[in-house]
Amino acid sequence: MMKKIPGHLFVMLLFGFLCNPLHPQINFPLNQHLADSLESLLPSASGKEKVDILNGISYALIRHYSSKSDSLSSISVQLAKEINYKEGLAKALFCKGTNDYINGNFIEGLDLLYDAVDLYKAMADTAMIIDTYYQIAGVSYFSLTDLKEGIRLVSECLRYSSESGDKLREAQMYSTLQYLYATAGDGDSALYYMDLYEKTASKISTPRIEKAMVTAAWGRDYALKADFKKAIPFYFSALQMVNPDDIEERSYLAQLCNFIGDAYLNLGRPDSALVFFQKGMKLSRKHQVFYGSIINALGLARLNFKENDFLQSELYCDSVIYFGEKIDSSGSFYGIAKYSKLLGMSGEHYIPMNKEFKRFLAWRIMAGAYQILMRISEQQEEYRNALQINIQLNKINDSIANFQKRTEILDLLHKYQAEQKDDEITLLSQENQIQRFKIDRSRLILFSVIAISILLLFILILVLRQSRIKSERQVAEFKQRLLRSQMNPHFIFNSLTSVQNFILQHDDIKASVYLSRFSDLVRNILSNSLVELITLEEEINTIENYLELQKIRFPEKFMYSINIDENLNLESINLPPMLTQPFIENAIEHGFKHIEHKGQIDLNFMRNADYVFIHITDNGIGRQKSLEMKSLQERNHKSMAIKTTVERIKTMNKKLKKKIYFEIMDLKDQKGKGTGTKVVFKIPSEAGLDWPPIVRTHLATVEQM
Amino acid sequence: MTTFTGKIIQKMLRVLIIDDESPVRATLRGLLDKTCPQVKIVGEANSVKSGCLAIREKSPDLILLDIKMDDGTGFDLLKRFENINFKIIFITAYQEFAIRAFEFSAVDYILKPVNPERLSEAVKKAEIIHQKTFNTQLGALRENIENPDKRNKKIVLKNQESIFLFNVDDIVRCESDGSYTLFETTGNQKILVSKLLKDYDALLSDSGFMRIHRSHLINLKHIKRFDRQDGGNVVMSNDAYIPVSASGRERLLELFEEIGN
């Protein structure tokens, strides 16, 4: 059949379909059929027709097969220039510029898109001027995070659309402006454009999915104005209009659930919010829509935090971080590779986002989760943990700031280049200007480029330095708090009260002994907080003092033994301070709480050729039982402490050739009843030699349990 | 238990010690023996559970109560009693969240290790305080601890004759009067308390109060207007006319600006 239609006619038919869409194709859906048909015509085509075909394939593949689309548009640009085919060149530049944007080369992309605009302006092709400007607006926002510029450009598109009477594009601009203002948090302006959209759209036919998005946007705009009661019905009717069997629409659905959950949460109805957040999580699971998962997980983390269920909240924060890291590493909203080019959230409906912007979004959501984790730690006075979280949060915030800063500077440079180009054009057109003046001017431009670049670099350095100083100050502040919580006040003041008892009983020798043990311990804690490594001898002394003091607080409760392998040279082995102390404290203050027999803690220090082993064995009730006995608050505390120890060792291991291993084992008798806990540390014995000095700043002394 | 000392009958103060660490109990016992001759220790307990039993069994006049124990807090213990017919001195190792609440309620607490003078002073105070007065204070304490947010805080004010319980919001202003502080409330009550204004400044500055003058602490919620004349004066909801010092004026204007924005 196809062969019977003359080639050029067929091309024209296809382009008729492409160039006059019912609706502007703003998010570049895949048109595989069109691409295949055009590709079969390619070998026999030449000249303008070939350029058109190349452009057609390139356009049809932009989002899904970006690299192929990119190389085809490059060929097309070349060819169009050779045969001086302006229309074809403009379209090819448009395709190539868009591809550059999708691949993250947005500065090059912007240049090409601006070139395309110039050509379209010369041809007075209003529709394409609008589409190209629209694309530039997308780049400005989605790559450069420059909302203002995005809004300015879309307003420009709007002007062209309404002047040319293009109702379709006019409506598109209203809804985009609505979206951008909503993103900026300006609910009033968003609602204003929404109204205009509805007025315009009522005169044209719009696709179902767009109606759904607009309905959801009404809700979103009311939510921005904190009018959640008005927002929810819109969300619900949007819910009805979305098709859950379509993968992309399913992702919008997950987002809608998040909106509804948020609205309910803000209305003080956590039960309803819970239902929708969970529904959002469930919807995201099947196709691994990470964006749907991450926002709903954050919703659940917030909800549980508000409800004071810190354990649950932490779990969901962990999920947020898990999904965030997935998005960060893949640059995709989908966990399944073949879906990676699909739209993963409603914002992409306007302009597909590139990988960098997806990462940027993920970072911002992760920062939210870290903030919740930090507030939990601070409320529970777990400053060690808060420090770890703060380090993570700072990293993320740095990434966000760098992304924004870098793009600001690139944007400035780009604007400067554009101005420079304008200047050059002016100069060229004024041909009566003498040559020398031209040289002077371009030299001036060159100097100013250099001066501005240096200035920008200087500012960048200054800003970075400032943020580093700030984070250093924060770390110092945390260290101080850390030390304060290391000195567990209950332990300190109750021990001192026990010493007071010796004084009252006139037992001066005991009073003096324990007072000096106490002083030794405090001295050790103070000096340990400043160094990253201490000798095994110092560690054992500290632990022994600690155990002795605990023993006067609880004289009947427990016994202990410290066994040291003869082969150990206590003075030459180095290790991080106070690794074992949290486990000992845990055994004494929780493990022995509900037992009838006498508690026993055994500390064994051994070595082989490469490692030092520390075993801490107790005969307490065991982790399982202890957990059952504890209140929720205490349980949180413990899980955090173990997590912190794991984190601490992880941080250290990153810098070590030979790693530190650590394991907690539950001891059981033949009947499977818990008979205690054994904690094993395996520490590289030459640690002292290959520990880089940088470890010092990262070592937070471990969480007490 | 009564003891005859010549012809004077002196009633002994029956004391119960509740703390989960035995050396701490021994210390308290030793200190009471040495510094409080009017005291008879009737028992000891080491947990919330055993504490409850001991109270029922011994019906003590005064309890030295540890705040944090193995199986709960001292407040958990109090929840099990509907009628409190004993007085309490709280003992704690650490100035936790609750310490502000104690200050607001004027309930005594003692920090470990124990200062013997503080202990004997607190015991003496507990001895003479009326049970009803103590229960009012305790009620305020428990309410403040259960609602740790800033709103609806209760504050106890005492003068020679009476004890008053107010919502912090109902206090219009405080004025320094030598070593006394004069309180004015929304009900136009005036109460003179023998405590320094600066103590109340420290206590109330988190609850919406501002020291606008060396001798004036005001509740910001009750400001009616600010007069710029004569270096600045504030008119309160009860039409009291309060002078504002230079530094107070700056802070006030800052505050107005914040609100204005």
Side-chain angles (χ1 to χ4, degrees):
Chain A
M1 274 290 271
M2 257 181 228
K3 292 226 167 104
K4 284 180 192 164
I5 306 172
H8 66 274
L9 193 62
F10 185 66
V11 173
M12 277 171 64
L13 274 174
L14 286 176
F15 276 99
F17 176 64
L18 185 66
C19 296
N20 298 311
L22 198 61
H23 200 74
Q25 299 283 313
I26 50 181
N27 55 30
F28 308 110
L30 174 63
N31 199 334
Q32 189 73 54
H33 176 68
L34 177 69
D36 290 345
S37 317
L38 285 172
E39 202 160 0
S40 66
L41 297 171
L42 195 55
S44 56
S46 64
K48 287 187 178 182
E49 194 180 82
K50 188 169 179 185
V51 172
D52 284 343
I53 292 174
L54 285 168
N55 289 345
I57 305 173
S58 179
Y59 189 92
L61 299 180
I62 279 184
R63 179 151 61 83
H64 288 76
Y65 298 98
S66 183
S67 59
K68 180 167 181 183
S69 169
D70 188 46
S71 56
L72 289 177
S73 58
S74 301
I75 301 170
S76 179
V77 168
Q78 202 66 38
L79 190 59
K81 275 183 184 162
E82 275 168 26
I83 60 173
N84 198 18
Y85 174 30
K86 278 194 179 148
E87 260 174 60
L89 179 60
K91 184 87 184 178
L93 288 170
F94 177 86
C95 289
K96 187 152 175 51
T98 306
N99 271 312
D100 273 338
Y101 153 70
I102 284 175
N103 294 322
N105 310 323
F106 35 86
I107 292 300
E108 291 89 333
L110 274 182
D111 278 341
L112 297 174
L113 288 169
Y114 271 116
D115 286 347
V117 165
D118 287 345
L119 285 171
Y120 282 126
K121 275 185 182 165
M123 290 181 279
D125 183 344
T126 318
M128 279 314 290
I129 293 174
I130 296 169
D131 286 358
T132 316
Y133 263 135
Y134 189 80
Q135 193 59 30
I136 294 173
V139 180
S140 300
Y141 172 50
F142 286 121
S143 270
L144 299 171
T145 63
D146 188 348
L147 259 178
K148 243 190 191 162
E149 180 70 1
I151 289 172
R152 188 186 71 78
L153 287 163
V154 177
S155 305
E156 187 79 352
C157 294
L158 178 61
R159 190 173 60 81
Y160 274 106
S161 312
S162 43
E163 275 173 11
S164 63
D166 185 341
K167 288 288 169 205
L168 275 173
R169 286 190 170 76
E170 195 178 333
Q172 176 195 335
M173 298 314 148
Y174 286 138
S175 80
T176 308
L177 280 170
Q178 176 278 134
Y179 170 75
L180 291 176
Y181 276 112
T183 307
D186 181 351
D188 286 320
S189 303
L191 280 172
Y192 169 74
Y193 283 108
M194 196 55 133
D195 243 3
L196 289 174
Y197 171 84
E198 293 283 19
K199 275 179 201 146
T200 317
S202 63
K203 292 171 201 150
I204 51 176
S205 77
T206 49
R208 172 188 52 84
I209 184 62
E210 187 170 320
K211 277 185 187 140
M213 305 262 264
V214 165
T215 311
W218 272 111
R220 191 101 174 99
D221 294 345
Y222 278 118
L224 275 174
K225 299 187 65 177
D227 194 344
F228 303 106
K229 278 201 181 124
K230 255 190 186 163
I232 287 174
F234 281 108
Y235 290 148
F236 275 115
S237 43
L239 218 52
Q240 308 297 321
M241 294 154 79
V242 180
N243 171 16
D245 297 326
D246 178 285
I247 299 175
E248 290 181 346
E249 292 188 28
R250 199 178 163 91
S251 78
Y252 303 160
L253 211 51
Q255 215 181 339
L256 264 175
C257 288
N258 179 261
F259 291 162
I260 297 175
D262 264 341
Y264 275 130
L265 195 56
N266 281 314
L267 282 174
R269 289 177 54 187
D271 294 345
S272 309
L274 184 72
V275 171
F276 281 94
F277 284 141
Q278 283 177 341
K279 194 174 167 193
M281 293 287 281
K282 203 176 152 197
L283 281 166
S284 311
R285 212 165 290 148
K286 185 172 173 193
H287 302 294
Q288 299 187 24
V289 190
F290 289 153
Y291 189 75
S293 302
I294 195 173
I295 52 175
N296 283 298
L298 185 66
L300 285 165
R302 281 180 45 220
L303 185 148
N304 281 298
F305 180 75
K306 271 196 181 170
E307 300 282 287
N308 282 326
D309 189 345
F310 294 154
L311 187 62
Q312 286 284 328
S313 180
E314 267 173 49
L315 283 175
Y316 283 114
C317 285
D318 286 346
S319 312
V320 171
I321 292 159
Y322 170 82
F323 290 118
E325 282 169 355
K326 291 268 183 192
I327 297 174
D328 190 19
S329 63
S330 65
S332 164
F333 282 153
Y334 286 88
I336 298 170
K338 65 173 170 175
Y339 299 147
S340 68
K341 302 288 184 180
L342 294 182
L343 306 175
M345 64 171 286
S346 59
E348 285 201 281
H349 186 77
Y350 297 96
I351 294 274
M353 294 167 185
N354 59 22
K355 286 183 175 182
E356 296 193 334
F357 195 76
K358 288 178 188 171
R359 287 194 180 106
F360 170 70
L361 284 186
W363 294 337
R364 289 208 308 204
I365 298 165
M366 284 163 84
Y370 279 122
Q371 269 156 6
I372 293 176
L373 282 176
M374 185 114 123
R375 282 172 67 189
I376 292 175
S377 297
E378 283 183 335
Q379 285 208 1
Q380 298 185 333
E381 306 198 344
E382 312 237 8
Y383 297 120
R384 255 178 228 84
N385 215 30
L387 171 63
Q388 297 287 353
I389 296 162
N390 188 51
I391 289 170
Q392 297 293 330
L393 181 61
N394 277 344
K395 264 191 221 159
I396 288 268
N397 281 338
D398 280 352
S399 304
I400 294 171
N402 283 343
F403 185 82
Q404 284 171 327
K405 249 177 252 152
R406 187 199 54 176
T407 52
E408 263 168 39
I409 284 163
L410 285 175
D411 192 30
L412 276 177
L413 276 176
H414 176 80
K415 275 184 195 152
Y416 184 76
Q417 278 165 13
E419 271 170 32
Q420 189 190 4
K421 216 159 105 185
D422 288 347
D423 286 346
E424 277 168 10
I425 291 165
T426 324
L427 281 173
L428 282 172
S429 66
Q430 296 170 332
E431 276 169 18
N432 55 348
Q433 295 271 352
I434 51 169
Q435 191 73 11
R436 242 184 64 190
F437 177 77
K438 237 161 95 180
I439 291 167
D440 279 354
R441 184 149 170 94
S442 51
R443 194 174 281 164
L444 187 69
I445 289 166
L446 185 72
F447 282 140
S448 32
V449 169
I450 292 168
I452 287 176
S453 305
I454 290 171
L455 196 69
L456 288 176
L457 198 71
F458 189 67
I459 292 171
L460 184 72
I461 290 169
L462 217 64
V463 167
L464 287 179
R465 218 177 86 108
Q466 200 61 35
S467 75
R468 208 188 58 220
I469 290 171
K470 201 176 140 202
S471 80
E472 269 170 13
R473 200 189 304 134
Q474 265 174 338
V475 167
E477 190 186 307
F478 265 103
K479 251 189 175 170
Q480 217 175 357
R481 285 207 235 167
L482 186 74
L483 184 63
R484 219 162 47 204
S485 58
Q486 168 84 58
M487 312 271 260
N488 181 348
H490 282 280
F491 167 74
I492 287 181
F493 297 116
N494 281 313
S495 303
L496 281 174
T497 311
S498 301
V499 174
Q500 195 180 16
N501 185 35
F502 292 133
I503 298 172
L504 287 169
Q505 290 173 352
H506 302 293
D507 193 343
D508 348 11
I509 297 298
K510 265 195 182 165
S512 305
V513 166
Y514 285 106
L515 206 52
S516 81
R517 278 196 183 278
F518 182 82
S519 313
D520 282 344
L521 184 70
V522 171
R523 235 190 312 275
N524 284 339
I525 291 173
L526 287 175
S527 61
N528 287 352
S529 69
L530 299 175
V531 296
E532 79 269 31
L533 289 173
I534 58 170
T535 66
L536 189 53
E537 187 175 29
E538 287 171 311
E539 173 75 1
I540 291 173
N541 278 342
T542 310
I543 294 294
E544 200 173 359
N545 276 332
Y546 178 72
L547 278 162
E548 278 296 316
L549 286 163
Q550 284 285 27
K551 232 172 119 55
I552 56 162
R553 287 176 68 199
F554 307 107
E556 303 302 323
K557 209 146 125 189
F558 75 98
M559 307 273 285
Y560 72 89
S561 75
I562 297 180
N563 310 304
I564 302 161
D565 191 345
E566 284 173 4
N567 297 328
L568 277 172
N569 183 349
L570 298 184
E571 283 155 43
S572 69
I573 289 168
N574 290 320
L575 77 171
M578 300 295 259
L579 274 180
T580 53
Q581 187 263 354
F583 297 94
I584 298 172
E585 181 168 46
N586 192 44
I588 296 171
E589 292 190 0
H590 302 295
F592 297 154
K593 206 188 249 180
H594 303 281
I595 56 170
E596 275 154 29
H597 54 275
K598 191 153 188 166
Q600 173 77 32
I601 301 179
D602 298 313
L603 284 155
N604 290 303
F605 295 86
M606 291 154 289
R607 73 166 299 170
N608 65 12
D610 303 319
Y611 288 96
V612 175
F613 296 88
I614 306 176
H615 292 185
I616 309 156
T617 318
D618 71 64
N619 64 347
I621 52 169
R623 281 192 294 172
Q624 188 54 41
K625 200 77 182 292
S626 164
L627 205 64
E628 286 164 20
M629 298 277 210
K630 279 182 193 175
S631 66
L632 188 69
Q633 164 85 26
E634 281 179 306
R635 240 181 276 173
N636 271 334
H637 190 97
K638 194 190 167 191
S639 68
M640 291 283 259
I642 289 180
K643 231 164 64 183
T644 314
T645 308
V646 174
E647 282 289 308
R648 183 183 177 208
I649 291 173
K650 234 195 243 167
T651 317
M652 291 188 281
N653 276 346
K654 274 184 198 151
K655 307 199 165 68
L656 292 176
K657 272 184 237 147
K658 277 189 201 162
K659 311 291 181 200
I660 297 176
Y661 297 94
F662 128 93
E663 195 181 351
I664 307 174
M665 290 176 265
D666 299 307
L667 303 177
K668 284 178 182 148
D669 63 11
Q670 286 142 342
K671 287 172 198 158
K673 213 182 115 207
T675 58
T677 313
K678 183 172 183 174
V679 181
V680 175
F681 283 95
K682 187 174 152 194
I683 302 164
S685 57
E686 272 111 50
L689 298 176
D690 43 350
W691 285 60
I694 192 145
V695 177
R696 182 183 294 257
T697 53
H698 285 280
L699 273 197
T701 28
V702 84
E703 180 67 33
Q704 285 169 7
M705 301 166 78
Chain B
M1 165 71 54
T2 51
T3 310
F4 294 91
T5 315
K7 284 182 183 173
I8 303 160
I9 300 168
Q10 192 192 357
K11 192 168 181 302
M12 296 289 277
L13 191 67
R14 297 162 53 80
V15 174
L16 178 68
I17 299 173
I18 307 178
D19 192 302
D20 60 343
E21 295 185 23
S22 65
V24 176
R25 293 197 301 274
T27 307
L28 289 169
R29 204 167 51 223
L31 287 173
L32 284 175
D33 279 348
K34 287 199 166 101
T35 62
C36 306
Q38 78 277 34
V39 156
K40 176 173 173 55
I41 297 164
V42 293
E44 285 181 14
N46 65 359
S47 63
V48 171
K49 217 168 131 193
S50 61
C52 286
L53 286 175
I55 293 170
R56 296 222 159 85
E57 197 180 310
K58 314 272 177 164
S59 46
D61 302 320
L62 171 66
I63 300 174
L64 302 188
L65 182 57
D66 188 19
I67 292 183
K68 192 182 165 233
M69 284 174 285
D70 262 5
D71 60 342
T73 67
F75 299 106
D76 294 338
L77 180 144
L78 293 182
K79 273 183 204 149
R80 304 197 188 177
F81 291 88
E82 249 170 51
N83 287 317
I84 306 267
N85 48 10
F86 44 81
K87 291 148 192 175
I88 304 156
I89 298 171
F90 289 92
I91 312 279
T92 181
Y94 178 45
Q95 290 164 299
E96 274 163 297
F97 62 99
I99 237 67
R100 266 278 152 100
F102 281 93
E103 306 263 355
F104 268 95
S105 334
V107 172
D108 248 320
Y109 64 94
I110 288 180
L111 294 170
K112 297 178 201 173
V114 181
N115 176 346
E117 285 169 16
R118 276 278 291 135
L119 180 68
S120 83
E121 220 171 82
V123 170
K124 273 182 202 146
K125 257 162 82 187
E127 216 177 346
I128 55 172
I129 193 171
H130 203 276
Q131 184 72 46
K132 233 172 149 184
T133 308
F134 177 78
N135 286 0
T136 311
Q137 288 171 223
L138 191 64
L141 173 65
R142 288 163 76 172
E143 202 165 314
N144 285 340
I145 280 178
E146 276 155 33
N147 308 308
D149 56 341
K150 299 268 163 7
R151 273 161 296 167
N152 290 330
K153 259 202 175 145
K154 292 270 196 292
I155 186 165
V156 171
L157 302 177
K158 287 195 286 189
N159 63 11
Q160 296 294 63
E161 303 89 45
S162 339
I163 168 163
F164 301 89
L165 183 62
F166 288 108
N167 281 327
V168 169
D169 283 357
D170 293 337
I171 290 169
V172 177
R173 67 183 195 95
C174 318
E175 183 175 344
S176 159
D177 184 357
S179 57
Y180 289 82
T181 300
L182 178 75
F183 280 77
E184 272 184 30
T185 69
T186 46
N188 267 334
Q189 240 174 326
K190 289 192 168 65
I191 300 153
L192 197 61
V193 183
S194 73
K195 225 175 168 185
L196 294 173
L197 183 68
K198 78 169 194 311
D199 295 333
Y200 285 110
D201 185 12
L203 192 61
L204 293 167
S205 59
D206 281 355
S207 309
F209 281 66
M210 189 186 272
R211 184 90 170 258
I212 55 163
H213 186 274
R214 196 162 40 85
S215 22
H216 293 279
L217 178 69
I218 61 163
N219 188 342
L220 296 169
K221 291 181 204 81
H222 287 285
I223 294 181
K224 212 154 110 185
R225 60 167 203 273
F226 178 69
D227 262 344
R228 283 166 182 278
Q229 289 160 351
D230 312 332
N233 288 285
V234 162
V235 182
M236 304 301 291
S237 60
N238 63 356
D239 292 324
Y241 204 68
I242 316 290
V244 182
S245 69
S247 68
R249 182 191 162 97
E250 244 169 63
R251 272 180 292 150
L252 259 185
L253 291 177
E254 244 170 56
L255 184 83
F256 290 152
E257 245 170 53
E258 265 171 44
I259 295 166
N261 291 334

